Amino acid sequence: MLGTALSLPGASALARVGGQPTASETTVAGIATTVVSPPGAPPWPALVFMNGATPDGRRHPTVHRLSLALARAGVRVFIPDLVGVAGGELSPATLAQAVAVSHAASSSPKTADGRVALVGVSVGGTLALLTAADSQLQQRISVVACVAPFTDLAKVMRLATTGTYGAGAAAQHPAPPSYLRIGLARSLAATLAATDATAELCRELRALDYESNAPVELPMDAFRRAGVEAARLYDLLANSDPHRFDSLYDALPAHVREAADSLSPIHAARRLLAPVEIATAPQDTYFPVAESQALAAAAPNVRVTVTSLLAHATPRFDVRNVAELHKLYAFFTRSFRAATNQPRLHSTAEQT
């Protein structure tokens, strides 16, 4: 499976060892979902995969290859098309869908022990963490395995707008890609009170070129037409002065700030009962490694693997650094054993 994710030579042939999985397009909890089932008879261990921001969404080639490898290893994989995620949008509606799909997957008569593993990448990793903290699902989660999630939306907002992480101008950080601000604008606009004007604002934001390498201007006029609350949100998103961030954030409507908290796993850390495995890069221009480390400090079951074999959420193989491959292997191994309820072997790799 690791070889498949890294596109290692010969991995595709190894991944085909065993029976042929069955992939089907269906709906789960009313959400369009790809379900990849193992050969053989159920029940099977189950896993819900939540992709990050990519136009391919659940049909991303790496996700497809990984789901087939997992199914050949005996795991049934659910890949839902969660609203907004492909365009970098994370809203309460997105989280509600993730919870609904995960609950339905765990309740399926084909799911072993009524428990599911949650796997997510980037924004999808954040969703996986939030889903695992849901009161109806806490006891149904076998493991959460995620790559490069964020855990504190307010801090990510500061980073995306001012280029700093933490309080003050001194906490400089490599400038994130401009489309991180677009994803934030889409996410936060979706929390505004529903009116015709805010619906139009959301449509204009979703029409922006999310993949553009050039700076993309937010539609100021659409924010202003949507009312005072939307105008305050624009003021924060357009600001680049770190000294003004706190006052602009405090000026946001209370319900927007509450939504930001509800979409921040750091505020749900104590509700994470299942083991959590996080892999992240040492220098991530989207979500700093400090995001994952803060969650590990706040929750008892979180383990963070820092590896240079990740470029944000994209695995990359480097033959010059076998030690890094060893760490990523241990991350995969621990996550897979927890997802399939296999005993731990306490190997050297797992202790790395």
Side-chain angles (χ1 to χ4, degrees):
M1 286 180 286
L2 175 59
T4 297
L6 292 172
S7 298
L8 296 181
S12 58
L14 284 174
R16 288 194 293 270
V17 173
Q20 184 64 32
T22 302
S24 61
E25 299 296 327
T26 184
T27 59
V28 177
I31 311 301
T33 303
T34 301
V35 180
V36 186
S37 299
W44 303 292
L47 180 152
V48 178
F49 187 96
M50 303 180 193
N51 58 269
T54 167
D56 293 326
R58 62 193 166 100
R59 294 183 173 85
H60 192 284
T62 302
V63 175
H64 176 71
R65 291 196 304 269
L66 187 59
S67 66
L68 290 175
L70 283 164
R72 288 189 178 97
V75 178
R76 193 181 194 208
V77 184
F78 296 78
I79 315 169
D81 190 8
L82 301 173
V83 62
V85 170
E89 181 180 325
L90 174 59
S91 68
T94 318
L95 176 56
Q97 288 190 351
V99 170
V101 170
S102 300
H103 192 278
S106 69
S107 302
S108 168
K110 295 181 180 180
T111 295
D113 302 321
R115 303 170 79 225
V116 294
L118 302 180
V119 176
V121 176
S122 189
V123 173
T126 299
L127 266 177
L129 291 166
L130 293 168
T131 300
D134 183 84
S135 59
Q136 297 182 40
L137 283 171
Q138 288 170 315
Q139 304 295 337
R140 292 173 176 256
I141 308 302
S142 56
V143 66
V144 184
C146 46
V147 176
F150 75 79
T151 63
D152 191 329
L153 186 53
K155 287 188 175 181
V156 172
M157 291 164 66
R158 179 191 293 276
L159 174 61
T161 56
T162 71
T164 62
Y165 184 79
Q172 295 294 327
H173 187 273
S178 60
Y179 44 80
L180 177 58
R181 191 165 61 109
I182 298 174
L184 283 170
R186 292 171 175 173
S187 301
L188 296 168
T191 69
L192 295 168
T195 66
D196 290 344
T198 56
E200 177 59 28
L201 169 62
C202 289
R203 281 192 291 271
E204 289 198 30
L205 290 172
R206 289 165 187 155
L208 295 176
D209 185 358
Y210 186 76
E211 292 191 295
S212 173
N213 292 323
V216 177
E217 293 297 323
L218 299 178
M220 180 180 68
D221 291 343
F223 276 95
R224 302 296 186 209
R225 288 194 299 269
V228 174
E229 294 185 349
R232 290 178 181 174
L233 177 56
Y234 176 82
D235 291 341
L236 180 139
L237 291 169
N239 170 64
S240 60
D241 182 354
H243 296 292
R244 296 186 61 215
F245 178 84
D246 288 339
S247 60
L248 291 170
Y249 185 81
D250 291 342
L252 291 177
H255 66 88
V256 173
R257 286 183 278 115
E258 289 167 2
D261 285 349
S262 73
L263 297 173
S264 300
I266 194 68
H267 297 298
R270 292 296 173 183
R271 301 201 304 274
L272 289 170
L273 305 184
V276 175
E277 293 282 349
I278 299 177
T280 188
Q283 298 292 330
D284 191 315
T285 57
Y286 290 85
F287 309 136
V289 65
E291 286 287 288
S292 298
Q293 291 168 338
L295 187 68
N301 302 317
V302 177
R303 180 166 183 163
V304 179
T305 298
V306 181
T307 172
S308 59
L309 289 185
L310 291 173
H312 181 49
T314 304
R316 55 186 182 183
F317 178 57
D318 187 345
V319 295
R320 298 168 298 179
N321 202 334
V322 177
E324 292 298 298
L325 182 62
H326 198 62
K327 288 197 292 186
L328 200 57
Y329 163 78
F331 165 80
F332 269 76
T333 301
R334 290 191 302 267
S335 301
F336 181 75
R337 287 192 179 129
T340 55
N341 196 30
Q342 294 183 30
R344 296 183 61 149
L345 300 183
H346 301 290
S347 67
T348 302
E350 287 198 299
Q351 296 167 13
T352 302

